[in-house]
Amino acid sequence: MKFVMVPGGWQGGWAFDAVAAELRDGGHEVEAVTLAGLEPQGPADADRAPNLDTHIDQVAEVVDRGDAGPVALCGHSYGGMVIAGVADRLPGRLGQLVFIDAYVPEDGDSCWSLTSDGFRELFLAGVRADGRWVAVPEGLDPRARPHPLASFVQSVRLKGAPDPAVRRTYISGGPWPGSPFVTLTERLRGDADWRVHEIPVGHNIARRDPQSLAAVLGTLSPGSG
C-alpha cells in the first residue's frame, strides 16, 4: 500500500521517519510531506505565510501525481484538517483516510474552532512577534519550525459528502492532559463508519511509539480507492 503522511503543527515529514521505516520494512511505500513554510531552512517567503488551502493543494498534488493504486492518506493533529480537504478534492483517489490524534473537520470548521482554549492561547502567545508565524512550543524536536497562523485559523471548505468507499480510521493517543480530541474519539467509537484504535502514549504517537503506530497502519486494507 502507498501511504502519504501529513504531520501536525510545527513539524516536518521527519516526524514520521521511524514509522516510515517500519512500514517500508513491511513492503509498503511511504511519502511523508513537509508542508509549505515548515521547511528545515525556513519558509521561502516569511512575509507570505501559507494557509490551509496552500497545504491542501500541496498534498493533493502529491497524491495525484502518484500511480493509480489506492492511497492511505494519514494526518496527525493539524494534518487532519489537510487530509479532509484533500479527500474532498480528490474523490475516488483514496482508499483510506487515517486521522492520528487529529482534528476531523466538517465544512466551515478550522483548527482554531475545533481546538481547546489552551491551544488557542498558545497560538496567540506564539504569534505576538510578527502576527504571521506561531513560535515553536517548548519541548518539540529541534527540527520544528514556526507554523503559519493562517493555516490554523482558515476554515476548510468541504463541498461533497464523505465518499463511502473511503475507509476511515481514527488512532487516538488516549486522554492526555489538555487533549481537544477526547469527545471526538468517543463520538467516533459509536459511529459504524469509523474504526477507532487507541495507542495510549499521548499526542505524538509517531515519536513515542512508532512501532505500534506502524503495526496498526500495516493492518489497513487498501480499500476500493
Side-chain angles (χ1 to χ4, degrees):
M1 188 189 303
K2 169 70 176 286
F3 289 90
V4 174
M5 313 194 82
V6 181
W10 302 281
Q11 301 181 84
W14 49 261
F16 292 110
D17 282 353
V19 178
E22 295 277 340
L23 289 171
R24 290 180 182 123
D25 285 346
H28 301 288
E29 183 181 353
V30 182
E31 183 166 358
V33 180
T34 293
L35 296 172
L38 283 299
E39 298 87 356
Q41 69 274 18
D45 186 350
D47 291 332
R48 299 182 64 184
N51 60 18
L52 177 58
D53 279 338
T54 308
H55 290 160
I56 292 171
D57 289 343
Q58 177 187 358
V59 176
E61 182 179 354
V62 170
V63 172
D64 207 30
R65 65 171 158 76
D67 60 35
V71 171
L73 182 58
C74 310
H76 171 240
S77 194
Y78 161 75
M81 303 295 302
V82 179
I83 69 172
V86 173
D88 186 70
R89 295 189 188 187
L90 298 177
R93 188 66 183 82
L94 304 175
Q96 294 273 357
L97 272 180
V98 184
F99 294 79
I100 304 169
D101 219 50
Y103 301 98
V104 179
E106 297 180 357
D107 181 50
D109 286 335
S110 65
C111 183
W112 178 271
S113 71
L114 292 177
T115 200
S116 63
D117 288 341
F119 275 100
R120 293 187 193 101
E121 291 170 6
L122 184 150
F123 295 165
L124 290 176
V127 81
R128 284 174 182 157
D130 63 8
R132 297 186 182 94
W133 299 89
V134 182
V136 178
E138 293 183 5
L140 287 188
D141 189 285
R143 293 170 290 182
R145 293 292 179 264
H147 194 99
L149 178 66
S151 69
F152 284 153
V153 299
Q154 184 184 11
S155 297
V156 69
R157 296 302 174 197
L158 305 177
K159 299 177 181 179
D163 184 348
V166 177
R167 296 167 181 172
R168 287 168 168 77
T169 298
Y170 195 88
I171 302 175
S172 168
W176 47 274
S179 172
F181 307 120
V182 174
T183 300
L184 168 64
T185 302
E186 290 310 306
R187 176 170 62 81
L188 296 181
R189 285 188 197 279
D191 189 329
D193 292 332
W194 287 80
R195 283 162 295 178
V196 177
H197 300 266
E198 183 169 314
I199 303 174
V201 295
H203 187 43
N204 286 312
I205 303 172
R207 181 183 68 188
R208 295 183 174 177
D209 195 348
Q211 293 81 14
S212 292
L213 179 54
V216 171
L217 295 174
T219 67
L220 302 179
S221 58
S224 62

